[in-house]
Amino acid sequence: VQDLITVAGLPPTRGTHRQPVVGFQLLNIGVKDAALTYFEPHSIPSGGDWGLQRMAAVFFENTVGSTVEGCTFSRNDGIAVMFSGFNREGIVRSSEFVWNGETAIAGWGYTDNMDGTSGEQPRGTLIENNFCHELGHYEKQSSCWFQAKSALSVLRNNIMMNGPRALINFNDGFG
């Protein structure tokens, strides 16, 4: 487990499951040209036929109340934002995702098979008022929102179009 928040080009901020980073905010910035990741090692997140790498231009793990708001993610070759492992009440709001090579926003937890009693999953993630379009140029298994081993997600008032496959993918019935 990486126990960190990374934003392309910035030093990592570290937290743990017991002492998570609380209230991190990424507001009104542009994130573009993050490196391609589709040749990086992939895993099967859960049931279904999708493969994913556990990395992104903005990567959250061991956080509570992290917010991405008013940001533009453009021409990132991999996943733009990922909530990995332990995350609670993460928010991605009023942001634009355009011309990204893979999935715009992903939530992917850790379990022992499908036993999630460890709590190492994104829970209560809010995806709201985003504009997601022209994505999946390199990875045809991509979405605006992808989740696996995550629970209690809310998607509200988003515009999602021009992707290669399912624009919203709840990969399993976890939680």
Side-chain angles (χ1 to χ4, degrees):
V1 177
Q2 292 183 335
D3 298 338
L4 55 85
I5 298 170
T6 58
V7 177
L10 299 176
T13 301
R14 297 191 179 275
T16 66
H17 184 110
R18 289 199 169 106
Q19 292 185 318
V21 173
V22 178
F24 178 87
Q25 294 183 326
L26 192 63
L27 305 173
N28 304 313
I29 68 164
V31 177
K32 68 179 282 183
D33 301 326
L36 60 89
T37 58
Y38 53 87
F39 288 124
E40 297 297 325
H42 283 60
S43 298
I44 306 298
S46 61
D49 62 347
W50 285 52
L52 226 62
Q53 69 280 7
R54 201 178 283 272
M55 56 181 45
V58 177
F59 182 90
F60 295 100
E61 192 158 276
N62 294 317
T63 71
V64 174
S66 292
T67 300
V68 173
E69 186 168 351
C71 296
T72 300
F73 294 84
S74 175
R75 299 195 183 276
N76 295 292
D77 290 340
I79 297 169
V81 176
M82 177 176 280
F83 293 96
S84 170
F86 178 84
N87 283 278
R88 297 296 183 268
E89 290 84 40
I91 298 170
V92 179
R93 176 184 291 136
S94 302
S95 295
E96 181 178 13
F97 299 84
V98 59
W99 295 109
N100 288 288
E102 296 186 37
T103 292
I105 312 162
W108 181 11
Y110 297 100
T111 61
D112 181 10
N113 291 312
M114 289 306 282
D115 176 357
T117 56
S118 68
E120 295 286 329
Q121 307 85 29
R123 296 183 186 184
T125 307
L126 174 62
I127 309 299
E128 178 177 55
N129 298 329
N130 298 291
F131 185 30
C132 177
H133 58 108
E134 318 329 312
L135 78 145
H137 293 281
Y138 300 119
E139 175 63 59
K140 299 309 175 195
Q141 268 182 326
S142 57
S143 299
C144 288
W145 169 250
F146 172 88
Q147 82 171 39
K149 300 177 181 175
S150 300
L152 306 171
S153 303
V154 175
L155 284 76
R156 181 169 53 212
N157 300 323
N158 298 285
I159 298 172
M160 301 175 176
M161 62 188 192
N162 297 340
R165 201 163 170 192
L167 292 171
I168 299 172
N169 185 347
F170 290 87
N171 201 54
D172 52 45
F174 182 82

